[in-house]
Amino acid sequence: MPSRISQSILFLFFCLSGFAQKNSFNVTGVVTDTLGEPLIASTILLLEKQDSTMVEFTKSELSGEFIFRNIAPGNYLVKTTYIGYIPTTVDASAHDGKNINLGNIEMSELAEELMTVVIKAAKAPIKMRGDTIEYDATTFQVPEGSTVEDLLKRLPGIEVESDGSILADGKSVNKVTVDGKSFFGSSPQAATKNLPAEGIGKVQVFDTKSEQEEITGATSESTEKTMNLELKEEFKKGAFGKVIASVGTINRKELKGNFNKFNKKIQFSLVGVGNNTGRNGLSWDDYQDFMGAQAWNWGNNTDYGFGGGGFRTFSFGGSSSGIESSIRSVFFNRGGTQGFPENYNGGLNFNYDHNDNKLSAVYYYNQAGVAKDGSSSRERFFQNFTTKEDAINIGDDISYSHRAEVELSKEIDSLHFVKFSFNGAQINENKFSQEFTTLSEDGELRSTADVTNDINTQGVLGEGLLLLRKKFKKKGRSLGLNTSILYTELDEDWSQESSTTFVNEASSLDSLSLISQTNNNIRDKVQFKANALYVEPLSKKFFWQTFYNHSNRQETGDRVVNDMFQNELQLNEDLSRIYDNSIILNRVGSSIRYSHNGVNLSVGLAYQNFDLVGDFQGAEGSSVLGSVDKQFTNWVPNFSLNFEPFSNSYAGINFSRNAQEPRIEDLQPVVNNLNPQYIIVGNSALTPEISNDYEANLSKSYPLSGTRFNFRISYSSYDNQFSTNEEVDQFLVTTVQPINVDGGTNFEVNSGLSFPIVKNKLTTRLRLRVSDDNRVSFVNSVENNTRTISYSPYIRFNITPLDDIGIYLTANLNFRDTRYDINVSQNQKIRNESYSVEFSAKTIWDLLFSANLNYDRYNNDRFDLQRDIPVLDLSVSKPFLKKNRMEARLSLFDVFNQNVGFTSIDNFRSENRILGQYLLFSLTYNIRGVKSSAQKKGWH
Amino acid sequence: MLLLVMPMHAQQNIEGVITFNRKQNYISIMSKLPHITQEDVDRMSLTWGKMGDGANYELYLQNNKSVYLRKEEQSENGYSWKKDQFVLIRDYDSKSQEDLIETLGKVYHIKEDLPKTKWKILNEIKEIEGYLCMKAETKNVIKGQTIHAWFTDAIPMSGGPEGYGGLPGMILEIDINNQDAVITATKVLLNQEEIKVPYPKKIKGKKIDRLSYNEMVKKYIDETIEGKKNPYWRVRY
């Protein structure tokens, strides 16, 4: 408080001293037009001469007169402004206390041309510099492909003669510069005739100064002018890209490159990757660089539903695999660690975006191969016995695919949007596997199987989508319509050789089954979809939303199975099938939504009908013949509430019921004998699975302290859950059939907390996930309830004491407690631990050292399992060349040579050989320069 | 024919609403942060190059007072996000001002005398919504920004958007750091009908003086930049 008072006193003192100051003076004057007529109520500003800081302002009287009183001595300018006139500035400095009378200040009218063409029509600001006037050329519309000369012809005050010479304000322009630099020697026409007009931002015209004037600063009335053309920012942008090439021991190689060129309208990019290390190196950044403006897809969800507005849903990446996968999924594929990979992929992307028209086209080639070599074991528990399966497997998979996606969209006007897209793909895939399995019961051998499968698949895909969005004059009313058609054709050739032995209880060979089969399967699929969504505002806060979904999936298949018998192919009538089926879904739903000030509440109900129709028959002459014809109807309610209870916090409560129709192959009694010890048959009695999903969440952040907290709880209960019934025969051959069961539940809690211990230096993040899962299945007609309780705590420390040091410590634990109600003695507790230490430091000469240690430990007391897998990677890198355009890096992967693909889930364990220790030398060339950092990049 | 609005009498009570559109160029803002590389800028321009529609604000003028706040708009896509409170009240008779600003997790209430802004008057003119405007410049020391204001003496009131004022006429455009953020008048409705000024029903917030508020914001900006993050997701640019 005292400081406030003293401030006020000080202020008062200055004011008083200002009034009382010696040598203070008055400035008077009259504002008139060029004819001497007074300009009434014009604004007059008193400015400090040094930097134009405003001291005072006033308005002129009816007579055009004005006065500034009691001005402290100093150097001033008086600036007069009046609508339609060029602001005029005159000097008004005084130090001796003499009043100044500026007399008549004559203001000249803005040229009509400048006023109407520049100010009104082009809405361009005009700048006065002495008596020259400058304005922004970007606002002048010229047809596409125009040259600067065409642009100049439109600018007021500039004339272009027939020979191309330029006059500005009647004076000839003898010099044209671009961004201040001389262009193509001294001929001004060279620039104006050749440069495209759309690249020009500003046109400035000023007096050409002679060499002498430049030095002395003296000015004289010049007869010649210089024109400077300032380029637009986006036209200065060119391209960026990089190439990384690596070679290593054990014949490891990597090559990766990308290149981008873009301006405001067009984006063009290339990417290519080849390696046999499995580190395909395509990161999130590469994805964003490649897809450009198409990286984030808004509104790609065309199956409308209860969601808010149904339009602005957001998706990225790809989930489906095989022929229906997308280009995006290549970038997010983190597979390939379970073997020896070899990958080649690359593509090009083109985006055009101008005047509400968008076109994007992308092509991608992907060749992915992986060779596997491993073993697995599985224990199974029955009421009165235990089985163990040991397998050795070898696999060699390779796939080649070409994909192209084209999308065209247009914003017809502010109310209408239309989009068309087409995707095409071709795939060729070969999967080879060899497996040797032994099955034993309570330690006694029951069966062995030696199986070789070789599957070759060729497929094509075509998919088209048309989408229309319409808004109405009435705010909030909207309509969305879309229709799509998908066609796929798969031709699968599969040969199987297997020999299975069965051992009886007396430990002697009971029987031997030899299978030598070829299998040709042609499958066609056509899926037609049509969706509609209509939103009607009931008031400013209430909306009524209605949607309709239609989907019609038609599948036909012709599977011909031949047995090789005495070197001759014989049709297997029982396994061969011709089938034809369709699933038609119709869903109509409606919801009422309240949306206001961060509170969004939606209550809705939908009615859906599945119609499943199928026919199947065996090969000619076979007695296998049947059909499936089922209708299912469900009511699906939906409730959702999202709100912001406090500042920077979000909370939500959601309930939904979801129905999932059975897969058609599960409905058909087709036998799958890919694994002769594990035979899968269909079940025509399957009904849709219904899940009731409840969810609640809360999150809050404290921006000042940097603390964040989130909590989520979810619970699902199932009716008619999809499960399996397994029948195990005396030789432990399992026949499995999909069935519906009741009583399955899933409960999950997720929570997280992150906060800085020392701001920007030491941050910690804690997470805990707890889940309780109850699953029902049948084994030899006995109900089996398996309950799995899992706790996963996680802790991480980010330590960044200096700019050039980054240390990241992580511990990720998983405790799993699995209980079997049919055989309590087999209950087991599993503990998987994963620790990691990542260390990076930048030292002298820009050398960057990195060490990453990943330590995985698997424990299962029930099987006396303890497995430790420490993997340490080291690397050192150094940038060089101008702008650090190159970087050399030497890496040593898996220093301890202990890396292995290991899995341990409940009663299943598998181990696959993967790449171990190797040394890799990499060179990077980056147009933009390599910027290595010891610290991880977070969100900007 | 020139369709420019002629000046009003200074004595006249100006009553009406000016609608402003505020657009922010995130890429340009982020490109100035020290941890952002040219590659990051290129990547952002590729993906997010097109600027959004911005947000609309209204400046209510009545009895030589003004209130500046976010325009209440019906959400079109059906989902409503909570907007941070932002109300700036100026009283040119009593030369006082009151701000309600929700930022960094709290609503702050700042009441003080009208500050004296040091404006430089520049030699540029342009037209905004039919008004011929002159250009003026000042600095925001806390955020290290150069502010350009376009004001018109045809509306003789020393106010403007975003709390700026003190010029010989209404500010119709504010340009922060050379187009990083631009707040432009899109509709000027003056002296046409009686208006109801939406004064906040209750002024509820943590009382703070400008100095402490600026210190707090400055500390957050500095710390966030040091932590290699963009402070302007949370703090108004």
Side-chain angles (χ1 to χ4, degrees), chain A residues 43 52 54 79 81 83 115 120 123 126 128 267 289 595 597-598 600 644 648 760 926 928 937, chain B residues 4-5 39-40 42-43 46-47 78 80 82 102 105 119 121 123 125 127 134 153 223 226 230 234:
Chain A
T43 304
S52 308
M54 185 176 75
K79 184 171 201 151
T81 75
I83 194 151
M115 195 65 161
K120 284 301 296 177
K123 290 203 178 291
I126 63 169
M128 279 70 61
Q267 304 179 343
D289 287 349
S595 285
N597 199 23
N600 294 277
E644 296 170 42
N648 295 306
N760 292 332
N926 189 332
R928 287 285 194 228
K937 218 162 89 172
Chain B
L4 289 177
V5 183
E39 200 171 305
D40 294 329
D42 286 342
R43 190 167 292 134
L46 267 178
T47 321
S80 154
K82 193 163 181 256
E102 186 172 356
W119 289 105
I121 309 297
N123 278 321
I125 53 176
E127 182 254 29
M134 287 189 79
D153 55 3
E223 277 180 357
E226 194 203 18
N230 177 9
R234 296 219 184 248

Side-chain angles (χ1 to χ4, degrees), chain B residues 4-16:
Chain B
L4 289 177
V5 183
M6 295 308 281
M8 296 174 198
H9 282 288
Q11 293 81 8
Q12 197 176 340
N13 172 31
I14 299 166
E15 182 164 335

Side-chain angles (χ1 to χ4, degrees), chain A residues 533-563:
Chain A
L533 174 74
Y534 178 74
V535 181
E536 173 71 28
L538 300 175
S539 71
K540 277 198 169 174
K541 298 169 187 175
F542 283 95
F543 298 83
W544 176 45
Q545 177 171 324
T546 306
F547 59 87
Y548 170 67
N549 311 110
H550 171 79
S551 157
N552 183 344
R553 197 168 93 192
Q554 303 277 345
E555 285 176 305
T556 59
D558 186 352
R559 180 181 176 204
V560 180
V561 182
N562 281 296
D563 288 313

Side-chain angles (χ1 to χ4, degrees), chain A residues 480-603:
Chain A
L481 294 171
N482 69 70
T483 179
S484 65
I485 191 150
L486 166 77
Y487 172 77
T488 65
E489 187 188 300
L490 288 167
D491 184 347
E492 186 180 273
D493 272 309
W494 167 19
S495 69
Q496 183 189 87
E497 301 284 335
S498 72
S499 108
T500 314
T501 63
F502 301 103
V503 180
N504 62 22
E505 288 185 9
S507 295
S508 57
L509 185 71
D510 179 275
S511 57
L512 170 71
S513 157
L514 291 173
I515 299 176
S516 175
Q517 261 173 8
T518 64
N519 186 324
N520 179 254
N521 194 357
I522 295 173
R523 285 179 285 163
D524 288 350
K525 174 170 134 179
V526 181
Q527 181 165 20
F528 170 78
K529 280 185 178 183
N531 299 289
L533 174 74
Y534 178 74
V535 181
E536 173 71 28
L538 300 175
S539 71
K540 277 198 169 174
K541 298 169 187 175
F542 283 95
F543 298 83
W544 176 45
Q545 177 171 324
T546 306
F547 59 87
Y548 170 67
N549 311 110
H550 171 79
S551 157
N552 183 344
R553 197 168 93 192
Q554 303 277 345
E555 285 176 305
T556 59
D558 186 352
R559 180 181 176 204
V560 180
V561 182
N562 281 296
D563 288 313
M564 186 67 91
F565 188 70
Q566 292 170 344
N567 280 334
E568 251 178 76
L569 287 177
Q570 271 189 0
L571 186 68
N572 183 323
E573 291 164 356
D574 294 330
L575 291 178
S576 296
R577 287 282 186 288
I578 298 171
Y579 62 89
D580 177 347
N581 50 52
S582 71
I583 298 184
I584 298 169
L585 165 72
N586 282 296
R587 185 169 79 140
V588 59
S590 202
S591 63
I592 296 283
R593 207 172 58 239
Y594 170 86
S595 285
H596 182 64
N597 199 23
V599 179
N600 294 277
L601 172 73
S602 158
V603 180

Side-chain angles (χ1 to χ4, degrees), chain A residues 4 41-43 45 47-48 51-55 57 59 79 81-87 89 110 112 115-116 119-120 123-129 237 239-240 242 260 262 264 267 285-286 288-289 292-296 298 308-310 312 353-355 471 475-476 478 537 539-540 543 593 595-600 642-644 646-648 650 700-701 703-704 708 759-761 803 926 928-929 931 933 935 937 939-940, chain B residues 1-10 27 30 33-50 72-84 102-108 111-113 116-132 134-135 150-156 158 166-169 209 216-217 219-220 222-231 233-234:
Chain A
R4 229 243 171 131
S42 64
T43 304
L45 302 143
L47 312 177
E48 277 173 24
D51 60 359
S52 308
T53 301
M54 185 176 75
V55 182
F57 60 86
K59 290 243 171 196
K79 184 171 201 151
T81 75
Y82 193 75
I83 194 151
Y85 289 77
I86 297 173
T89 312
L110 270 169
E112 170 99 20
M115 195 65 161
T116 52
I119 294 180
K120 284 301 296 177
K123 290 203 178 291
I126 63 169
K127 196 171 192 171
M128 279 70 61
R129 276 193 190 168
K237 281 187 181 157
F240 66 93
K242 58 179 180 289
N260 280 58
F262 69 99
K264 274 261 156 89
Q267 304 179 343
D285 285 348
D286 292 311
Q288 220 178 320
D289 287 349
Q294 290 287 312
W296 301 75
W298 289 99
R312 299 286 282 186
D353 184 347
H354 185 56
N355 288 347
K471 290 185 204 165
K475 219 170 188 184
S478 60
S539 71
K540 277 198 169 174
F543 298 83
R593 207 172 58 239
S595 285
H596 182 64
N597 199 23
V599 179
N600 294 277
N642 292 286
F643 60 108
E644 296 170 42
F646 327 103
S647 203
N648 295 306
Y650 298 93
K700 173 146 176 68
S701 67
L704 275 178
R708 267 182 300 186
K759 200 120 195 196
N760 292 332
K761 306 287 183 214
D803 257 358
N926 189 332
R928 287 285 194 228
K931 199 175 175 190
S933 167
Q935 297 179 0
K937 218 162 89 172
W939 286 97
H940 296 321
Chain B
M1 185 56 212
L2 304 183
L3 288 165
L4 289 177
V5 183
M6 295 308 281
M8 296 174 198
H9 282 288
I27 295 164
M30 285 168 75
L33 299 174
H35 67 279
I36 297 286
T37 64
Q38 183 59 45
E39 200 171 305
D40 294 329
V41 175
D42 286 342
R43 190 167 292 134
M44 287 188 287
S45 335
L46 267 178
T47 321
W48 311 111
K50 299 264 161 177
E72 204 167 304
E73 276 171 306
Q74 188 184 333
S75 69
E76 267 196 76
N77 61 14
Y79 195 89
S80 154
W81 298 95
K82 193 163 181 256
K83 311 278 188 325
D84 282 346
E102 186 172 356
T103 190
L104 303 173
K106 266 204 182 80
V107 180
Y108 292 96
K111 202 172 171 180
E112 61 188 336
D113 293 339
K116 198 160 161 49
T117 312
K118 198 174 164 186
W119 289 105
K120 284 182 196 175
I121 309 297
L122 307 179
N123 278 321
E124 252 178 283
I125 53 176
K126 79 164 172 181
E127 182 254 29
I128 298 165
E129 285 299 297
Y131 292 88
L132 201 60
M134 287 189 79
K135 197 178 189 181
W150 293 90
F151 67 96
T152 179
D153 55 3
I155 307 171
S158 292
L167 283 162
D209 61 275
M216 176 189 76
V217 170
K219 183 166 172 260
Y220 175 80
D222 291 347
E223 277 180 357
T224 311
I225 291 176
E226 194 203 18
K228 300 185 169 58
K229 289 197 184 83
N230 177 9
W233 294 128
R234 296 219 184 248

Side-chain angles (χ1 to χ4, degrees), chain A residues 19 63 185 228 242 258 385 414 534 554 742 775 819 880:
Chain A
F19 282 115
S63 56
N228 180 40
K242 58 179 180 289
N258 71 315
F385 63 97
S414 61
Y534 178 74
Q554 303 277 345
D742 283 333
R775 239 166 236 288
R819 299 168 197 176
F880 59 101

Side-chain angles (χ1 to χ4, degrees), chain A residues 433-483:
Chain A
S433 69
Q434 244 183 324
E435 193 166 272
F436 182 76
T437 316
T438 62
L439 268 175
S440 50
E441 177 182 339
D442 296 330
E444 299 280 325
L445 184 69
R446 280 285 164 265
S447 164
T448 68
D450 192 346
V451 187
T452 304
N453 280 301
D454 192 351
I455 309 171
N456 192 28
T457 311
Q458 298 206 15
V460 290
L461 169 144
E463 186 179 16
L465 167 81
L466 184 66
L467 181 145
L468 176 80
R469 257 177 253 155
K470 181 174 164 57
K471 290 185 204 165
F472 294 82
K473 290 247 164 64
K474 182 170 181 186
K475 219 170 188 184
R477 183 185 288 172
S478 60
L479 175 72
L481 294 171
N482 69 70
T483 179

